[in-house]
Amino acid sequence: VLSSSELPHPTPATSPLQTLEARLDHLQSQLTDAKEERQQLQYQISEQLQQQEAVNRYVAVLRYQFIECQSTLTGHSDWVSAVAISPDGETLASASFDHTIKLWNLSRKQEIRTLSHNASVNSVAISPDGLTVIGATLDKKIKIWHIRTGKMLHDLTGHDALIHTVAISPTGEILASASLDKTIRLWHLKTGANIGILTGHQEAVQS
């Protein structure tokens, strides 16, 4: 017969409170590890951003060092507000507050023709086929011109305030105009028809 000192002692049962405390300790440990990993990742990201910023500055300096003025085109009598270059790189269109768009031959550095408007021209765009130039003016109008002939194809109206900018779709079919009247209007470039008005902006659409 075994004495009481020799009898095996039963392992005390783990209480629900102890189990919960153990789980909390485990979760706390996992949370601490996650915080450390997050801090390490943030540090790596910050370091990479700093390196990229330094590279960008270096690239910017290099570009600045190698930029040279090839030629100066003169002829406008007021501010030049916008420019656009044809896809083939041969024609430059310059819009000005002198109420004109001037077309230039970039190879010869010579003016081709002047397209007159009734107000300051705020924006200019050239179609993807290089045949059409569009000017948006402060008197809420858009004029569409044929580049080779200088003939005005369309005089578009509809905006209730000055037009900030115009853009042409890659297909050359749709013209978009953004205005101080808080809308974007869509136009069919060939016919000049207004095909849509995009509303919802709370302020002027500038780009």
Side-chain angles (χ1 to χ4, degrees):
V1 179
L2 297 174
S3 65
S4 58
S5 60
E6 296 176 328
L7 291 174
H9 296 284
T11 303
T14 303
S15 68
L17 179 60
Q18 292 175 321
T19 301
L20 180 60
E21 289 176 344
R23 290 180 179 176
L24 288 175
D25 290 341
H26 181 66
L27 290 174
Q28 184 65 36
S29 176
Q30 288 183 326
L31 182 60
T32 301
D33 293 341
K35 286 182 177 179
E36 292 177 353
E37 291 179 1
R38 179 181 176 183
Q39 290 175 349
Q40 185 176 5
L41 182 60
Q42 288 177 333
Y43 174 78
Q44 292 175 350
I45 292 175
S46 176
E47 190 175 34
Q48 290 176 357
L49 289 175
Q50 291 176 359
Q51 292 175 353
Q52 186 61 49
E53 184 179 355
V55 170
N56 290 341
R57 287 198 299 267
Y58 180 67
V59 171
V61 170
L62 286 180
R63 288 176 178 170
Y64 178 77
Q65 288 176 345
F66 287 101
I67 289 176
E68 294 181 1
C69 180
Q70 301 296 317
S71 60
T72 301
L73 307 177
T74 60
H76 284 293
S77 59
D78 207 332
W79 293 351
V80 176
S81 55
V83 294
I85 299 176
S86 62
D88 62 6
E90 289 297 319
T91 305
L92 169 72
S94 56
S96 173
F97 277 24
D98 65 6
H99 300 191
T100 70
I101 290 176
K102 287 185 179 291
L103 300 178
W104 310 82
N105 183 291
L106 289 179
S107 297
R108 299 193 302 267
K109 310 296 188 299
Q110 294 178 350
E111 180 181 336
I112 301 171
R113 62 175 48 88
T114 298
L115 308 174
S116 298
H117 295 69
N118 297 322
S120 298
V121 188
N122 204 35
S123 179
V124 66
I126 296 178
S127 60
D129 61 10
L131 298 178
T132 308
V133 62
I134 298 92
T137 59
L138 298 186
D139 64 353
K140 305 175 286 187
K141 293 183 179 182
I142 301 169
K143 293 184 184 293
I144 301 176
W145 307 81
H146 194 284
I147 287 181
R148 292 180 181 174
T149 65
K151 178 182 178 181
M152 187 176 68
L153 303 176
H154 301 289
D155 189 358
L156 309 180
T157 60
H159 280 293
D160 296 325
L162 67 86
I163 301 166
H164 277 295
T165 188
V166 289
I168 304 173
S169 66
T171 62
E173 296 180 358
I174 298 174
L175 169 68
S177 55
S179 171
L180 190 67
D181 66 10
K182 306 176 185 178
T183 70
I184 295 173
R185 285 181 178 261
L186 303 178
W187 314 80
H188 192 279
L189 189 58
K190 288 186 178 181
T191 66
N194 186 192
I195 58 177
I197 303 175
L198 308 181
T199 60
H201 292 286
Q202 301 301 314
E203 298 294 338
V205 187
Q206 300 187 30
S207 178

